[in-house]
Amino acid sequence: MPEQAEGTAGVPTHEVRDLLRRRREQIAQRWADEPLFRAVFTLSRDEAVEAGKAVVDALAQVADAAGVEDPDAAGFTTVREQLARMGAARSRSGLSTAQVSSELAALRPPVENLLVADLPEDTSAEHVRDCVTTLSVLMGTLRVVVMQTALSEGQALIDRQRLQLLEVATPVIKLWDGIVAVPLIGTLDSARSQVVMETLLESIVEQQARFAILDITGVPTVDSLVAQHLMKTVAAARLMGAECIVSGIRPAIAQTMVHLGLDLGTVVTRASLADALGYVLHQLGVGIVTPGTNGAVAR
């Protein structure tokens, strides 16, 4: 067995550090056959081995700094992104958090076996136990790092998807040249109201719209903050050179706006989207023709 580094023999964290550096290749080779690495790095086994070496180096750096219990240790910085990808990849494969954690736990036994085998034969049982405990704590911290990072990445993905859903749920429709409409359906909150404003203003610019219809027929209720957002949207559209018409205000929403003391005197409102479109077409000087009993009738 190789000699211990001078001045470090007998210190559990240094024992673990030296083992990781000394057996780096062997540990990485064994890890490459474990489900966590084998299932994530599918292009080649060499890719899995190189990933394993990077993790071993990080663990050795953490042990060297005696921060085996610190998930924020500097040694984890270089591999945190890689570990997050690994955890996320296994989660996307359908594994639960507990299953991913179990796969991470399976990385400890190969290292522990090498550690025990490398210790001198005359090493006391107590020292062996201390070294094994230190390794267990270090590998446990690795599990914490992976799970924390994977959860953070997962939350970021959820936030991005939520924003995308908000955008999809807030379509801006071109009804006519110079006329756009936003038919809102479902609950409005502050975040979605902000998306409505941004999306509508962008469409006004893109479509060079003179009129924008904000239809809230499908909105069951509006609180005070959302009502203020809607008013701000109307004002912002006006600043962009477009007249904003609000249609489909339910009785309950109308009462809320009145109770809040919102000034709707400068806002054009219509009972329905059809009424709003009729108003806008009239403003544009477009005649509407409907079939009558004695031929077409203009109105």
Side-chain angles (χ1 to χ4, degrees), residues 210-215 234 243-247 267-270 272 275-277 279-280:
R210 292 176 53 194
F211 295 92
I213 301 174
L214 197 58
D215 184 70
V234 172
E243 182 179 356
C244 189
I245 299 92
V246 180
S247 64
V267 180
V268 178
T269 60
R270 289 294 182 271
S272 67
D275 291 337
L277 179 58
Y279 164 80
V280 171

Side-chain angles (χ1 to χ4, degrees), residues 12-296:
T13 53
H14 292 165
E15 297 269 16
V16 172
R17 176 202 62 191
D18 293 342
L19 168 84
L20 293 169
R21 291 174 176 172
R22 187 169 58 249
R23 299 294 190 181
R24 175 175 180 262
E25 179 70 30
Q26 291 169 282
I27 294 172
Q29 290 288 346
R30 295 188 184 188
W31 280 358
D33 296 324
E34 293 293 334
L36 180 63
F37 282 83
R38 188 176 66 247
V40 174
F41 301 96
T42 57
L43 296 179
S44 70
R45 191 174 186 280
D46 290 341
E47 183 185 18
V49 172
E50 289 304 313
K53 289 179 181 178
V55 177
V56 174
D57 290 340
L59 291 174
Q61 184 178 345
V62 173
D64 187 46
V68 294
E69 298 180 359
D70 183 11
D72 296 320
F76 289 122
T77 303
T78 56
V79 294
R80 193 175 291 274
E81 183 177 348
Q82 173 184 289
L83 294 172
R85 289 200 306 269
M86 292 167 63
R90 298 305 282 147
S91 296
R92 287 195 299 269
S93 299
L95 271 68
S96 66
T97 301
Q99 289 172 316
V100 175
S101 181
S102 295
E103 288 191 350
L104 287 162
L107 301 181
R108 181 179 60 81
V111 186
E112 183 178 318
N113 292 337
L114 289 173
L115 174 64
V116 174
D118 272 15
L119 290 172
E121 294 181 1
D122 59 350
T123 302
S124 67
E126 182 181 359
H127 185 64
V128 172
R129 184 171 60 252
D130 288 344
C131 291
V132 170
T133 299
T134 298
L135 176 63
S136 298
V137 172
L138 178 60
M139 296 303 295
T141 304
L142 175 66
R143 292 167 66 184
V144 172
V145 170
V146 175
M147 301 314 297
Q148 282 182 341
T149 310
L151 288 173
S152 297
E153 290 291 324
Q155 185 59 50
L157 176 61
I158 291 173
D159 291 341
R160 290 195 298 271
Q161 291 176 336
R162 181 173 180 270
L163 180 59
Q164 291 170 354
L165 287 173
L166 284 175
E167 293 173 349
V168 171
T170 313
V172 178
I173 302 170
K174 179 180 179 181
L175 298 180
W176 198 272
D177 287 340
I179 305 174
V180 295
V182 183
L184 297 175
I185 299 175
T187 303
L188 275 178
D189 56 17
S190 297
R192 190 180 178 199
S193 299
Q194 183 64 33
V195 173
V196 169
M197 179 187 292
E198 294 174 357
T199 306
L200 179 60
L201 296 181
E202 289 174 1
S203 295
I204 289 174
V205 174
E206 292 174 2
Q207 302 293 335
Q208 297 183 339
R210 292 176 53 194
F211 295 92
I213 301 174
L214 197 58
D215 184 70
I216 59 174
T217 304
V219 178
T221 184
V222 171
D223 61 22
S224 59
L225 193 58
V226 172
Q228 292 173 8
H229 269 293
L230 292 177
M231 297 302 296
K232 290 178 181 178
T233 300
V234 172
R238 187 177 294 117
L239 289 175
M240 298 294 293
E243 182 179 356
C244 189
I245 299 92
V246 180
S247 64
I249 299 178
R250 292 170 176 264
I253 295 177
Q255 292 179 37
T256 298
M257 290 184 170
V258 171
H259 289 159
L260 292 174
L262 297 177
D263 182 13
L264 301 177
T266 59
V267 180
V268 178
T269 60
R270 289 294 182 271
S272 67
L273 178 59
D275 291 337
L277 179 58
Y279 164 80
V280 171
L281 291 175
H282 177 73
Q283 293 297 109
L284 291 174
V286 178
I288 302 176
V289 177
T290 58
T293 55
N294 299 319

